[in-house]
Amino acid sequence: MTHREQPSLPTDDTLPHCWRLDTVRQTLVLAAFFNNALPCVVYWGARLDADEDLDALAAALTAPIGNNALDEPIDLSICPEIGRGMYGQPGLVVHDAEQRPVLTQFTLGSVGLHGGALVIEAVDRPTGLGYRAVFQTRAHSDIIESHAELSAGETPVTVAWLSAPVMPVSSTASHMLEFAGRWTREFGLREVAFARGVHLRESRRGRTGHDHFPAILFPEPGCTDNAGEVRALHFGFSGAHRLLVECLADGRRQLQAGVPEPAHLASGDVLTSQTTYLGWADAGLSAIGQRYQQHLRHHVVTHTATGWPRPVHYNCWEAVYFDHDIDTLTDLAGRAAALGAERFVLDDGWFGRRDDDTTSLGDWQVDTRKYPHGLAPLIEHVRGLGMRFGLWVEPEMISPDSDLARAHSEWMIAPNGRHQPTARHQQVLDLTAPGAAEYLFTCLDALLTEHEIDYLKWDMNRDLTLAVDGDGRPLLRRQTLAVYALLDRLRARHPRVEIESCASGGGRIDYAILARTQRVWLSDSNDAHERWRMQHDARLFLPSEIMGSHVGPRLCHTSGRRLSMAFRAGTALTGHMGFEMDVRELTEAEQQTLMRYTAFYKRNRQWLHTALDYRLCPGDEGETRAHMSVAADGQRFLLFSATLETPRSESTTPLCLAGLADHARYRVTLWNREDMTAPPTRFHASPLVTPEGLVLSGRALMHSGLRLPIGFPDSLWVVIGERIDLPPFSATA
Ligand code: GLA
């Protein structure tokens, strides 16, 4: 064919077919262009007018066909198919029983809106394979949940890959923002440039991983914290995951997400991709963060009666580690209660013969050497102090040195003839092995039934490696589903018990685990310096009230840093606050400071935990990080600004606020003036630092700003803002 020839394309008068799905501020348009094939997402952005001509919108995006290309356009459908000539990454890879590729050509069966969901059903006639995509909206939310399902026909197939409905990535997005990290340094936000080819983020660890919170953002050029367009995806699955962004040779970019493990489907079986959470916003990173936070609050997490308002925790881990002594623990509990703690969490070391991390996982019976009368006396003591009681467990694990392993070595994931490394001296229990999940349910149910426990810290401290069951079948997906089933069953039996998801800190955080838990242990780092950064960026997807954040020891155990009590306590109160140190080490001054910050947390938590968070842009080179939480009713806010390094400038520059009403007046005061007594600010004449504070309009605060005092590295300013009952400034004055 020469470049002058116009290929003759099959015509169908009724094409393209278009469908739209709207949230409060967002529209998604899908269009099927060709031969009744699967549709493509052709629009994902600001809500379109009700009478927008979708056919014209889609027709305007008809791809021209160049030389040296197939004579038909290859659509980037919600499931780009090898069988339709997709030359990039397919959304589905299937083989038959003889390992022959199945070249699907799905044809649309039905597309319909049901209960706020756009449901697309298609079938590949020769094989009977069924494909179903769901885009689900939820009341008052701008996040769309989507997943794909593949159902087998008459014959069995192996599915090597099934992506959730494939999304286009805007060709004008300037870069990707994603999370990279490690143990004690989770949620490191980083920029990645687009480049031709595939960018792959994958966890094969049987958990989301400290290194890969499964989410990605696509800011448009000029997108800042509080302005500009941005799209995002979070993949809600707590095990292995794959996020893939491909820049195709024809200029298109695609985004896929799924579970990177083959699945065998017998006739009638259905495989689901698991759910993605799609977000769009046009007011910067703060806005998209708010949309995810609000969605999580209203549609994912269910709080328990005793979990709200969010009680201050005392966790004994960094105080005693495995060295449980009832007198010490009762002493710590008393001191913690006096400082303001409301829930005492007994961490690792209470069961089996667990004197260190080499034994006893699986033996979920109280260690009577340490607790001769069981846990009841400690629980009674704790409750007598007015605190509730929480307990650490790590149900999915088994120590080779345990009674459980001696009785049921076949429950351990340790494939025959292969070396399975231990991690922290432990192995993983195969929850799909007959009897294993039942055993765990019985143990946990007994603990929760026999004791007044209203909280479990559910840990998961190692990767799944060589993840196959006793028959050698892949387990990454099924193990995670079995964890969900166990959690669901326990929650149904004990609905009053709150559960925290911990995996050596933030190794397992996603919306599917949060549908079954109410808190995440964001990181094993109690270092407020590291925490400040992590929490700042984790807020893009997680609201404060589910982010466990503890006041750690003066000398941080995971970094060796020494940090002031004001900075430690101030950082903790921006999450779900707790203490985790040997309270006996505290000086009188430290106790006073901790009590002051704890009381402040308690006074404000009710509204803080439903507030909207705004990231602020300090005018420096990254030495400070700041954010504001604005009450849902707009009547008050708190501004937190942390200095993390020696500022490069000799004084501070104005910090512009966000999220306020232009013409309302606000009284702003520096709440922690007392912590300003030392250098580096010798003198600050701003009325901000007086008890009366100053009064300014929202517009002035947002566009002119405030100059805060100069802070030492690792210090924090807390500014209170209250909307005051004065006539608003006139909009025209
Ligand atoms: C993990 C958790 C810690 C602590 C220990 C107990 O490392 O992240 O917070 O509970 O286990 O062994």
Side-chain angles (χ1 to χ4, degrees):
M1 184 180 82
T2 72
H3 70 283
R4 288 176 196 284
E5 283 174 276
Q6 178 77 5
S8 61
L9 300 175
T11 53
D12 177 337
D13 290 345
T14 59
L15 292 177
H17 294 295
C18 295
W19 302 271
R20 66 183 284 168
L21 186 68
D22 297 298
T23 65
V24 186
R25 288 167 284 205
Q26 184 183 198
T27 297
L28 203 63
V29 179
L30 283 89
F33 283 97
F34 183 64
N35 269 354
N36 237 5
L38 286 173
C40 321
V41 173
V42 292
Y43 179 85
W44 176 19
R47 186 167 171 144
L48 297 172
D49 290 343
D51 57 358
E52 184 74 57
D53 184 342
L54 302 185
D55 291 350
L57 180 150
L61 300 174
T62 310
I65 293 176
N67 290 315
N68 194 32
L70 296 182
D71 293 343
E72 299 169 3
I74 304 165
D75 290 337
L76 193 55
S77 78
I78 52 175
C79 181
E81 293 166 89
I82 303 171
R84 290 200 183 268
M86 178 55 175
Y87 66 89
Q89 295 296 308
L92 175 69
V93 179
V94 189
H95 296 106
D96 70 11
E98 269 83 52
Q99 291 311 306
R100 291 178 295 225
V102 178
L103 303 173
T104 62
Q105 293 186 340
F106 287 108
T107 50
L108 276 179
S110 66
V111 182
L113 265 174
H114 311 282
L118 184 67
V119 180
I120 298 145
E121 289 180 321
V123 67
D124 178 54
R125 296 201 194 291
T127 58
L129 279 172
Y131 176 86
R132 187 165 183 267
V134 179
F135 292 89
Q136 175 78 56
T137 59
R138 307 266 179 211
H140 311 299
S141 175
D142 275 303
I143 301 299
I144 298 175
E145 300 178 6
S146 90
H147 74 272
E149 291 166 16
L150 187 81
S151 52
E154 295 286 296
T155 50
V157 288
T158 301
V159 186
W161 173 240
L162 170 65
S163 173
V166 174
M167 298 299 288
V169 174
S170 157
S171 53
T172 51
S174 50
H175 57 273
M176 303 175 256
L177 276 178
E178 62 177 23
F179 296 92
R182 49 155 276 190
W183 176 72
T184 65
R185 196 171 175 163
E186 294 86 339
F187 283 91
L189 195 63
R190 69 171 189 190
E191 281 188 24
V192 180
F194 288 107
R196 176 75 56 80
V198 173
H199 175 67
L200 184 75
R201 296 304 304 277
E202 202 168 75
S203 165
R204 294 174 166 274
R205 310 181 130 193
R207 49 185 180 170
T208 53
H210 302 85
D211 46 346
H212 288 276
F213 173 66
I216 188 160
L217 300 107
F218 303 99
E220 290 292 321
C223 175
T224 62
D225 281 337
N226 290 305
E229 228 182 331
V230 54
R231 294 173 181 79
L233 174 145
H234 163 60
F235 184 58
F237 190 60
S238 321
H241 68 256
R242 175 185 295 162
L243 297 191
L244 175 162
V245 177
E246 183 177 33
C247 299
L248 291 158
D250 56 28
R252 292 176 299 182
R253 296 164 171 173
Q254 64 159 327
L255 170 61
Q256 302 192 3
V259 179
E261 185 186 64
H264 180 76
L265 300 190
S267 174
D269 284 353
V270 178
L271 180 71
T272 165
S273 65
Q274 305 302 325
T275 300
T276 58
Y277 295 80
L278 306 168
W280 167 88
D282 62 355
L285 298 180
S286 297
I288 202 146
Q290 290 168 11
R291 290 179 188 187
Y292 277 100
Q293 288 192 10
Q294 294 293 70
H295 189 82
L296 190 86
R297 281 174 173 158
H298 299 303
H299 302 291
V300 180
V301 171
T302 327
H303 286 286
T304 62
T306 55
W308 197 272
R310 309 297 283 138
V312 177
H313 280 194
Y314 175 71
N315 181 300
C316 66
W317 176 241
E318 292 202 358
V320 298
Y321 291 102
F322 297 100
D323 191 6
H324 288 208
D325 166 69
I326 189 89
D327 293 335
T328 306
L329 290 168
T330 48
D331 180 27
L332 291 174
R335 290 168 188 260
L339 291 166
E342 298 162 305
R343 187 185 264 152
F344 180 94
V345 180
L346 185 66
D347 212 282
D348 195 355
W350 58 267
F351 55 92
R353 298 176 74 80
R354 182 91 166 157
D355 296 333
D356 54 33
D357 61 11
T358 60
T359 76
S360 302
L361 293 171
D363 298 346
W364 300 112
Q365 291 82 33
V366 180
D367 182 348
T368 48
R369 295 171 310 155
K370 297 176 184 173
Y371 299 94
H373 306 290
L375 292 178
L378 179 62
I379 296 178
E380 273 161 35
H381 177 74
V382 163
R383 292 185 72 85
L385 292 164
M387 289 192 287
R388 295 180 183 278
F389 187 83
L391 192 65
W392 179 96
V393 289
E394 195 181 359
E396 298 148 68
M397 296 295 153
I398 178 166
S399 302
D401 180 7
S402 64
D403 290 343
L404 183 65
R406 285 180 279 276
H408 286 288
S409 59
E410 77 282 7
W411 288 355
M412 211 184 295
I413 300 180
N416 266 344
R418 305 287 173 193
H419 170 67
Q420 173 73 286
T422 51
R424 215 189 185 211
H425 310 281
Q426 67 199 51
Q427 298 287 10
V428 185
L429 264 180
D430 174 359
L431 296 187
T432 70
E438 189 60 36
Y439 166 78
L440 288 178
F441 178 79
T442 307
C443 294
L444 296 169
D445 180 41
L447 278 169
L448 297 177
T449 306
E450 289 160 18
H451 301 97
E452 288 207 70
I453 295 173
D454 84 333
Y455 180 87
L456 286 181
K457 176 176 173 183
W458 185 297
D459 216 333
M460 195 279 198
N461 280 321
R462 67 154 289 171
D463 290 344
L464 252 76
T465 47
L466 287 76
V468 294
D469 67 13
D471 282 339
R473 294 181 204 287
L475 201 51
L476 280 175
R477 183 187 278 105
R478 286 185 298 136
Q479 177 81 358
T480 304
L481 297 177
V483 174
Y484 293 162
L486 181 59
L487 280 164
D488 290 346
R489 195 171 164 203
L490 266 177
R491 288 183 74 228
R493 179 72 74 95
H494 300 280
R496 294 174 57 81
V497 175
E498 174 171 343
I499 302 177
E500 171 175 49
S501 173
C502 175
S504 306
R508 184 160 66 185
I509 299 178
D510 70 280
Y511 283 17
I513 204 77
L514 277 164
R516 299 163 169 93
T517 56
Q518 291 85 3
R519 188 190 211 241
V520 294
W521 186 226
L522 197 73
S523 176
D524 269 352
S525 174
N526 281 320
D527 175 332
H529 174 93
E530 302 290 348
R531 273 294 185 136
W532 191 270
R533 276 202 299 244
M534 291 186 244
Q535 293 178 193
H536 188 71
D537 290 331
R539 258 188 216 100
L540 287 168
F541 292 90
L542 308 173
S544 311
E545 69 273 15
I546 67 115
M547 263 195 274
S549 184
H550 293 175
V551 182
R554 190 182 308 128
L555 177 68
C556 176
H557 292 189
T558 54
S559 69
R561 277 200 188 94
R562 274 176 195 277
L563 297 169
S564 73
M565 176 54 82
F567 185 54
R568 283 181 276 154
T571 301
L573 78 79
T574 67
H576 178 195
M577 189 177 191
F579 317 149
E580 184 171 343
M581 86 289 267
D582 187 341
V583 269
R584 295 169 299 187
E585 80 171 22
L586 299 182
T587 63
E588 181 58 29
E590 284 172 332
Q591 289 181 38
Q592 292 305 323
T593 304
L594 180 55
M595 286 196 281
R596 185 158 51 92
Y597 277 80
T598 305
F600 185 74
Y601 166 83
K602 289 181 181 174
R603 280 201 301 282
N604 291 289
R605 60 184 160 188
Q606 281 277 18
W607 71 264
L608 264 180
H609 292 160
T610 54
L612 295 178
D613 289 331
Y614 290 84
R615 297 159 67 92
L616 301 181
C617 308
D620 60 19
E621 294 176 53
E623 300 97 81
T624 54
R625 294 274 170 97
H627 78 271
M628 278 171 69
S629 296
V630 180
D633 63 5
Q635 292 300 310
R636 66 192 66 226
F637 64 83
L638 286 178
L639 182 164
F640 302 93
S641 175
T643 307
L644 298 176
E645 314 170 25
T646 301
R648 287 171 182 77
S649 303
E650 289 166 0
S651 190
T652 57
T653 52
L655 179 64
C656 290
L657 278 53
L660 305 180
D662 274 335
H663 304 291
R665 297 183 205 208
Y666 299 87
R667 182 181 303 283
V668 286
T669 45
L670 185 69
W671 173 71
N672 56 347
R673 292 184 291 283
E674 295 174 48
D675 301 322
M676 201 184 73
T677 48
T681 295
R682 288 186 299 129
F683 176 67
H684 196 191
S686 168
L688 176 71
V689 305
T690 65
E692 299 74 37
L694 54 86
V695 175
L696 266 182
S697 70
R699 179 163 286 173
L701 286 167
M702 292 192 289
H703 297 282
S704 179
L706 297 170
R707 289 184 79 174
L708 298 175
I710 304 165
F712 265 148
D714 297 326
S715 65
L716 171 73
W717 301 122
V718 182
V719 173
I720 299 181
E722 283 163 315
R723 190 168 169 159
I724 56 174
D725 199 13
L726 282 177
F729 289 111
S730 153
T732 52

